[in-house]
Amino acid sequence: GLGIPKGKCLAVTGESGRGKSTLAKLILGFYPMAQGRVEIAGKELCRDTLAQVRDRIAYVPQEPYLFGVSIAENIAYGKNHVHPEEVPMEEIIAAAKVANAHDFIRKLPKGYQTIPGERGNMLSGGERQRIAIARAVIRNAPLLLLDEATSALDNNSERLVNEALDRACKGRTTVMIAHRESTIALADEVVAI
């Protein structure tokens, strides 16, 4: 079995086709388990509804989706079971700071009220990724799951995102599917599959 101590970061590496993304999908409950089990905080996932499973996971995919609403709302959507307008601005800004996004958001024409365009297309890949990290931070779930979060970024964006990931992972149980050495270096433990 593979276990991750609470508050630690595990990097899962391996060549394409080895099952890294399948592991992420198993954790997210996309596939039924034929054998074995997945537990978060000692609770077996198969005993819960999909909604209950996802309540315990903050997920940052390789290409995050941004909604056609303000950046503040995009971040606030991470807060489960709370309407985005009910999330205090201070909490949104704190999450953006952890995610290395506050400075670039402040410089946008309408700051946090900027609408990032369809699917976030007026932002760079690194900026979209940092908003997705802020959304995961504000969620404050027991497990942070990162699926190739830096693989599509240029070197400068990768550095900014890695700084954000390093802060976001502090004190959180994290599974990081990665292949870039600089991202893998953030982990407490590395497993190759």
Side-chain angles (χ1 to χ4, degrees):
L2 177 61
I4 308 157
K6 184 176 180 179
K8 297 295 182 182
C9 178
L10 172 75
V12 180
T13 67
E15 295 174 23
S16 292
R18 292 283 173 102
K20 297 185 305 295
S21 288
T22 301
L23 176 64
K25 288 174 181 148
L26 283 168
I27 292 170
L28 287 165
F30 288 162
Y31 300 143
M33 297 285 290
Q35 56 183 320
R37 65 180 193 260
V38 176
E39 293 180 1
I40 298 177
K43 196 166 183 193
E44 197 170 350
L45 293 189
C46 69
R47 298 184 189 277
D48 290 336
T49 66
L50 208 49
Q52 290 169 320
V53 168
R54 302 225 175 108
D55 276 351
R56 297 201 304 274
I57 301 171
Y59 175 57
V60 181
Q62 182 176 347
E63 292 185 30
Y65 185 87
L66 296 187
F67 302 98
V69 296
S70 72
I71 287 173
E73 284 180 274
N74 266 286
I75 294 170
Y77 274 132
K79 197 90 170 163
N80 235 11
H81 310 297
V82 177
H83 194 278
E85 292 167 5
E86 296 172 17
V87 179
M89 198 62 205
E90 300 78 38
E91 205 173 329
I92 292 168
I93 290 169
K97 285 179 177 177
V98 170
N100 230 359
H102 178 68
D103 289 342
F104 89 77
I105 294 170
R106 263 187 343 173
K107 293 175 184 167
L108 293 171
K110 293 184 179 177
Y112 280 86
Q113 297 314 309
T114 301
I115 295 174
E118 189 176 327
R119 299 180 63 93
N121 63 2
M122 74 168 271
L123 301 177
S124 73
E127 290 167 342
R128 285 193 301 272
Q129 203 63 297
R130 285 179 277 156
I131 289 173
I133 293 166
R135 187 188 291 160
V137 167
I138 208 167
R139 187 175 191 83
N140 201 23
L143 178 67
L144 176 59
L145 176 59
L146 309 163
D147 191 359
E148 300 278 13
T150 61
S151 66
L153 305 178
D154 61 54
N155 287 340
N156 187 50
S157 294
E158 178 192 7
R159 181 183 58 77
L160 291 167
V161 169
N162 276 340
E163 285 175 9
L165 291 176
D166 192 35
R167 284 197 292 274
C169 292
K170 291 279 186 267
R172 297 177 204 274
T173 306
T174 307
V175 176
M176 174 189 299
I177 293 165
H179 71 271
R180 286 192 170 184
E181 288 298 322
S182 60
T183 306
I184 294 166
L186 302 172
D188 298 304
E189 190 178 336
V190 180
V191 174
I193 59 172

